[in-house]
Amino acid sequence: MILRYSLPVLILCTPLLAQEGDRPGEVQAPLSTHIEIPPAPILSPEEALGTFTVAPGFRIELVAADPLVHDPVAMTFGPDGRLWVVEMRGFMLNADGTNEDAPVGSIAVLKDTNGDGRMDQRIVFVDGLVLPRTIALVEDGAIIAEPPHLWFYRDTSGNGVADTRTLIASDYGIPANPEHSANGLMRALDNWMYNAKSDIRYLHTGGGDLIREETIARGQWGITQDNQGRIYYNSNSDPLRMDVIPSEYLARNPHLINPDGVNLQLVPNDLRIWPGRVTPGVNRGYQILDDDLKIRAMTAASAPTIYRDTLFPGDFMGNAFVPEPSANLVKRIIVEEENGTLKGRNAYKGAEFLTSTDERFRPVFLTHGPDGALYIVDMYRGILQHRIFLTSFLRQQIEERELDQGIGLGRIYRIVPEDAPPPPQGFDLSSETSARLVERLTEADSWWRDTAQRILVERRDAASIDPLRSLARSQASAPLARLHALWTLRGIEQLDRETVLAAMDGTDVRVTAAAMRLSEPWLAQPGDSEIFQHVTTVMNSSDGTPPPPAIILQRALSLGEARSPAAFDALMDLASRNDSQPFLPEAVISGLAGRELEFIRHATSGPASGNAVNAVTLAAGAVLGSGEADKITDLLGMLEPAVHLHPWARQSLLNAFDRFALVPRRGRAAMTTLPVEPSSLITLATRDNEEGQLAADILTRLRWPGKPGQKEIPTVRELTPEQTALFEKGRETYEMLCAACHQVNGQGLPGLASALVNSPYTLGSEQAAVRIVLGGRQQEMFAMPPLGAALDDTAIAGVLTYIRRAWGHTADPVDPSTVAAIRRDVAGREAPWTDEELQQFME
């Protein structure tokens, strides 16, 4: 049967909207009737296999299907090849999302008992979970995320069912919004577990114990790494981002504002996609579908994976695969590295790696397995959008085409080349000797190396130390094996100086760069001239040709750990050379926290060269961001006309002030406050040239004590003891929930969260700010989830008081009674607030 219909126009003007995702005054126009919309019947697994089109040279195979698996959202392979599946069985049981908090989620362990490549046995390891999201296997158990909880489950009886549970953390994400909560627990090459939609990473130290450490916020759903341990992620409309610089380096200087090198966008938001069918059942189809009723850009990009194996042809190594469940496809993105940076592009023109004509095919997670195949987790259902964002348009699609039927299904597939052998059978890495596991680090496929490293680190077996050191030092060993050996030694705290020096002397850039990074404990010790000499000279050529970009970048990062005058001079030299090296200024300044003025004075003493211009701008911006009046006064003094500064240097400093002075947002300028009068800028603004025009423009966006024509800056009201306690509690809440997206420094992340520093929403009327925290805020490409259900009135007042007084802000605190009154006013509303709605509360 073919359906041909058009939806009625929905004009939404009332405060209480038909669906939570509807926007005030929005016209949800009907779809064109010139395209026939096929039905979306529930297909059997065998029927579903006939709906796929896969890239030439590949085939798709069924690994597991309902009733063996239900509503799967993530998976991982155990050391014995069994499949551990996270089942989010309470997600959107109908269009209203009723019974969402029912404890029906589970972790299932699937096994292929007859060796035919299909799972045929199911054991429920854990059940009774509420919307579980992710899993990490550790030792003889598993860490399982059930926001806001992280649990460590173990099976002590040997029957495959967990019988003990230990709470590890109670602040892992928020349960109020499944589309915007922490997930991942991806163990990277450096042994840390990284997460999406979170700014916390974890280091497993045994027995389910974790060390936690702040990092940057990353992505939305899913996280992965390449063979060098670089981290990749995305958000629903932003297919692929990554970190070129390990984020812990940039954290050394908290006043670096939005540095490049992390959260690098590899492809544009509007990267074209080519679905295999019409896609009318997307949330805002009346806005985003083309004339053929097909979506052109991703709106539900999910867990990416970087291909790191050898089963696929060689040109697939390092490619990214990104599932798009709303378009029923998996995209392949070719990631290319050149001159120290990376970019991504479509692998195919007018086609995708995998498409399906089955609207219920919902690929939400990808991973690789012991066989080197690409595994696809298919949630298999009609409803994909969570109720908080569901529009009336999509609601009608769901009801008229019965997309709410067929809940509780699910499939897992693998993609293999046409001539691929069957998956390996009969192995169990957890029972292998430590010596054999060290040999496993030399395997060509990543699952074996990653799993062997994990087990070796967890065992901390003294018998593995010498083989690991031998492997790491051997120039004859494969580079990836040496990388894993180095980081395994680091994980068991047995990395020695001689091994680091031997690894640094190699010819493989990846191994040498890793050894430089791992040399930092010795580099930080005064007097270790041999380590310092290696870091500053490794891979230098005798003819003056610069070393590879990765070595230059790592040199700058590692030298920031050394506090000697020689290291400072070496950083200066790096900044003045390597003119086209990307991310080098960030690397240099990240290691100079508190020493930026000294750097600026040295760098501006001569003509401009290399990356010094950008480095000076970053250093000056860090000085301004510190808010320290004496340092800012010294910086302003450098712009005095009497100081004979090189033109490039003056321009670089002006650029720092320009970036510091916040640009207007939505027609409303949020003034940035300096602690002192910028007399040098005032003088420059009188000049009739480009410098003068820039200085004058900057001054319009700055305020300072005694500025002429400016409303007197109100005296900062001292906080009472009660408000001070509220502020401190708010700091804890912010760091636990908000910093995951807005960052610890309040600067936000492009494509994920807006900046809070000097934001009108932060410093303006508390009426708008409270509504945003209670109900969330809808933006063009992303949304802030509501926190009203997760936080009480005092907690919300605390976090708002904190952000209104942090980072140099001086706005008044927020009282819990104000939050309580607004909560009563908006009771019953669950739709996120739009900027248009919030404007009425901004005065």
Side-chain angles (χ1 to χ4, degrees):
M1 178 178 69
I2 299 296
L3 304 180
R4 182 188 292 274
Y5 62 88
S6 63
L7 299 181
V9 176
L10 300 173
I11 303 178
L12 308 174
C13 303
T14 58
L16 296 177
L17 305 173
Q19 289 296 137
E20 296 178 47
D22 293 339
R23 296 172 177 172
E26 180 181 49
V27 176
Q28 299 185 15
L31 297 178
S32 170
T33 59
H34 76 287
I35 298 292
E36 294 182 338
I37 301 176
I42 301 167
L43 302 181
S44 69
E46 289 70 25
E47 290 172 328
L49 279 171
T51 69
F52 292 110
T53 298
V54 65
F58 292 89
R59 70 173 187 266
I60 185 168
E61 299 176 343
L62 188 66
V63 177
D66 44 86
L68 206 65
V69 63
H70 310 275
D71 298 304
V73 295
M75 58 166 274
T76 189
F77 279 96
D80 56 359
R82 291 188 302 163
L83 199 54
W84 295 63
V85 183
V86 180
E87 299 179 322
M88 192 183 282
R89 302 185 68 172
F91 180 79
M92 292 301 291
L93 301 179
N94 52 44
D96 294 316
T98 55
N99 296 322
E100 189 175 71
D101 58 353
V104 295
S106 48
I107 306 296
V109 184
L110 310 182
K111 183 178 181 180
D112 173 12
T113 63
N114 58 15
D116 67 351
R118 290 274 295 269
M119 302 295 167
D120 49 59
Q121 181 189 84
R122 170 188 172 93
I123 297 177
V124 177
F125 179 70
V126 178
D127 60 9
L129 300 172
V130 177
L131 299 179
R133 298 179 66 78
T134 194
I135 184 173
L137 302 184
V138 297
E139 297 178 337
D140 60 346
I143 297 175
I144 296 169
E146 181 198 32
H149 305 115
L150 272 184
W151 303 102
F152 178 47
Y153 283 91
R154 295 179 62 219
D155 164 27
T156 62
S157 65
N159 66 354
V161 179
D163 48 40
T164 68
R165 181 178 79 168
T166 303
L167 180 64
I168 297 176
S170 57
D171 61 350
Y172 188 85
I174 55 175
N177 187 343
E179 290 192 20
H180 293 275
S181 191
N183 62 91
L185 294 177
M186 186 270 297
R187 191 188 300 254
L189 182 64
D190 65 1
N191 302 304
W192 285 85
M193 293 181 185
Y194 291 87
N195 300 280
K197 205 65 181 180
S198 170
D199 67 343
I200 301 295
R201 66 176 187 168
Y202 300 95
L203 185 66
H204 178 234
T205 57
D209 293 331
L210 298 176
I211 295 173
R212 56 184 290 152
E213 185 177 283
E214 289 182 355
T215 180
I216 65 165
R218 295 180 174 89
Q220 184 173 354
W221 174 251
I223 190 165
T224 186
Q225 67 172 339
D226 63 17
N227 276 333
Q228 294 167 245
R230 295 178 299 195
I231 299 173
Y232 297 73
Y233 40 94
N234 61 17
S235 58
N236 53 12
S237 299
D238 198 345
L240 195 62
R241 288 180 179 255
M242 60 90 64
D243 298 339
V244 179
I245 296 176
S247 61
E248 58 267 28
Y249 283 117
L250 299 181
R252 298 180 299 188
N253 193 332
H255 303 305
L256 275 178
I257 299 175
N258 288 334
D260 292 332
V262 293
N263 200 34
L264 177 69
Q265 187 178 43
L266 297 189
V267 294
N269 290 353
D270 60 354
L271 184 71
R272 178 67 190 271
I273 61 175
W274 287 272
R277 53 159 290 133
V278 296
T279 56
V282 294
N283 199 33
R284 301 193 187 276
Y286 48 88
Q287 290 180 343
I288 59 179
L289 299 181
D290 64 14
D291 291 340
D292 295 326
L293 298 190
K294 292 183 177 181
I295 190 170
R296 289 178 172 267
M298 289 187 168
T299 64
S302 301
T305 193
I306 301 296
Y307 190 75
R308 303 167 52 209
D309 302 312
T310 57
L311 184 66
F312 287 14
D315 59 346
F316 280 73
M317 181 67 74
N319 287 189
F321 290 88
V322 182
E324 219 307 350
S326 67
N328 324 111
L329 61 84
V330 175
K331 174 175 282 292
R332 175 189 169 201
I333 297 173
I334 296 175
V335 179
E336 298 171 318
E337 186 169 356
E338 185 176 357
N339 297 326
T341 192
L342 292 89
K343 291 184 178 180
R345 61 179 174 85
N346 270 327
Y348 310 101
K349 186 175 181 180
E352 300 292 353
F353 180 72
L354 176 71
T355 61
S356 174
T357 56
D358 182 359
E359 190 169 3
R360 296 172 184 269
F361 171 58
R362 303 298 193 185
V364 295
F365 190 87
L366 304 177
T367 191
H368 52 272
D371 55 350
L374 180 69
Y375 283 76
I376 301 172
V377 173
D378 174 13
M379 205 174 182
Y380 200 78
R381 52 176 31 242
I383 301 179
L384 183 66
Q385 187 75 58
H386 187 256
R387 61 177 175 79
I388 291 178
F389 305 105
L390 191 71
T391 59
S392 293
F393 170 90
L394 183 53
R395 173 87 183 220
Q396 190 158 351
Q397 286 279 329
I398 290 170
E399 292 178 347
E400 293 198 5
R401 295 195 292 119
E402 298 183 339
L403 296 177
D404 54 348
Q405 304 301 304
I407 300 298
L409 307 178
R411 289 87 195 262
I412 295 173
Y413 301 97
R414 65 171 157 254
I415 307 293
V416 297
E418 290 283 7
D419 58 352
Q425 301 288 328
F427 59 86
D428 184 359
L429 270 65
S430 63
S431 64
E432 294 184 349
T433 66
S434 295
R436 176 60 177 141
L437 288 174
V438 173
E439 293 177 1
R440 292 289 194 186
L441 298 180
T442 67
E443 295 277 0
D445 289 339
S446 61
W447 180 87
W448 300 88
R449 301 193 307 270
D450 293 346
T451 305
Q453 177 176 330
R454 173 178 74 81
I455 297 172
L456 285 166
V457 170
E458 290 173 351
R459 279 186 189 173
R460 296 178 178 267
D461 184 1
S464 67
I465 297 173
D466 286 342
L468 284 169
R469 288 176 176 172
S470 177
L471 178 59
R473 296 177 186 182
S474 172
Q475 298 288 341
S477 298
L480 293 181
R482 300 181 69 198
L483 273 179
H484 280 275
L486 284 169
W487 283 108
T488 303
L489 285 166
R490 171 69 171 267
I492 64 176
E493 299 178 330
Q494 293 296 328
L495 187 64
D496 63 303
R497 186 175 177 278
E498 289 69 27
T499 299
V500 167
L501 285 169
M504 240 191 292
D505 280 338
T507 58
D508 187 88
V509 170
R510 297 165 295 180
V511 175
T512 297
M516 293 168 70
R517 181 179 174 188
L518 291 168
S519 76
E520 290 164 8
W522 295 277
L523 188 63
Q525 298 175 6
D528 197 330
S529 58
E530 186 177 15
I531 289 284
F532 182 82
Q533 182 72 11
H534 271 69
V535 170
T536 53
T537 62
V538 67
M539 288 197 173
N540 287 353
S541 64
S542 57
D543 62 1
T545 303
I551 299 301
I552 297 172
L553 184 66
Q554 187 59 55
R555 181 172 294 160
L557 294 169
S558 293
L559 286 172
E561 293 297 299
R563 308 295 291 186
S564 67
F568 185 87
D569 291 342
L571 284 169
M572 288 289 303
D573 184 65
L574 282 170
S576 64
R577 298 176 183 271
N578 312 301
D579 201 10
S580 61
Q581 173 80 48
F583 318 120
L584 187 60
E586 287 81 3
V588 169
I589 304 305
S590 72
L592 293 176
R595 297 184 287 170
E596 295 95 346
L597 279 173
E598 182 183 358
F599 172 83
I600 293 170
R601 292 189 184 100
H602 279 76
T604 57
S605 61
S609 59
N611 266 312
V613 177
N614 293 331
V616 166
T617 296
L618 280 178
V623 172
L624 292 170
S626 73
E628 297 182 34
D630 56 343
K631 291 184 177 181
I632 294 173
T633 298
D634 287 348
L635 186 68
L636 285 164
M638 296 181 192
L639 286 171
E640 292 290 348
V643 178
H644 297 294
L645 207 62
H646 288 274
W648 76 265
R650 180 176 287 104
Q651 183 65 50
S652 185
L653 294 180
L654 283 172
N655 288 343
F657 279 93
D658 188 34
R659 292 169 65 171
F660 175 71
L662 192 69
V663 297
R665 295 186 176 189
R666 305 189 67 83
R668 294 169 178 265
M671 303 293 287
T672 303
T673 301
L674 288 177
V676 296
E677 180 183 77
S679 56
S680 55
L681 282 177
I682 295 171
T683 302
L684 282 175
T686 63
R687 296 184 175 181
D688 188 18
N689 56 24
E690 289 186 8
E691 280 186 359
Q693 292 173 5
L694 178 57
D697 178 57
I698 293 170
L699 289 173
T700 65
R701 293 178 274 127
L702 290 175
R703 59 189 300 176
W704 60 87
K707 180 180 180 181
Q710 167 188 275
K711 290 183 180 180
E712 190 64 29
I713 299 176
T715 302
V716 179
R717 186 161 60 131
E718 289 189 15
L719 299 181
T720 66
E722 293 78 11
Q723 291 167 342
T724 300
L726 194 65
F727 173 92
E728 293 301 332
K729 186 64 177 176
R731 184 203 303 273
E732 295 176 9
T733 304
Y734 179 84
E735 291 176 351
M736 180 179 72
L737 291 181
C738 312
C741 295
H742 294 287
Q743 298 195 75
V744 174
N745 61 9
Q747 293 295 336
L749 280 174
L752 184 62
S754 57
L756 298 178
V757 174
N758 294 317
S759 166
Y761 289 128
T762 302
L763 303 180
S765 168
E766 60 193 18
Q767 294 289 320
V770 171
R771 282 170 169 79
I772 290 173
V773 178
L774 285 171
R777 177 184 168 214
Q778 181 65 52
Q779 299 174 76
E780 190 64 31
M781 299 305 297
F782 52 89
M784 174 185 161
L787 299 176
L791 301 177
D792 62 21
D793 299 338
T794 300
I796 292 176
V799 76
L800 289 176
T801 296
Y802 172 70
I803 68 172
R804 287 161 70 87
R805 283 298 177 98
W807 316 307
H809 294 164
T810 59
D812 284 342
V814 176
D815 193 88
S817 63
T818 301
V819 180
I822 296 174
R823 189 190 291 270
R824 288 193 296 271
D825 288 345
V826 301
R829 175 187 174 118
E830 292 185 336
W833 294 87
T834 66
D835 287 327
E836 290 74 15
E837 291 177 288
L838 291 168
Q839 289 306 310
Q840 63 183 303
F841 305 107
M842 291 296 291
E843 299 302 331

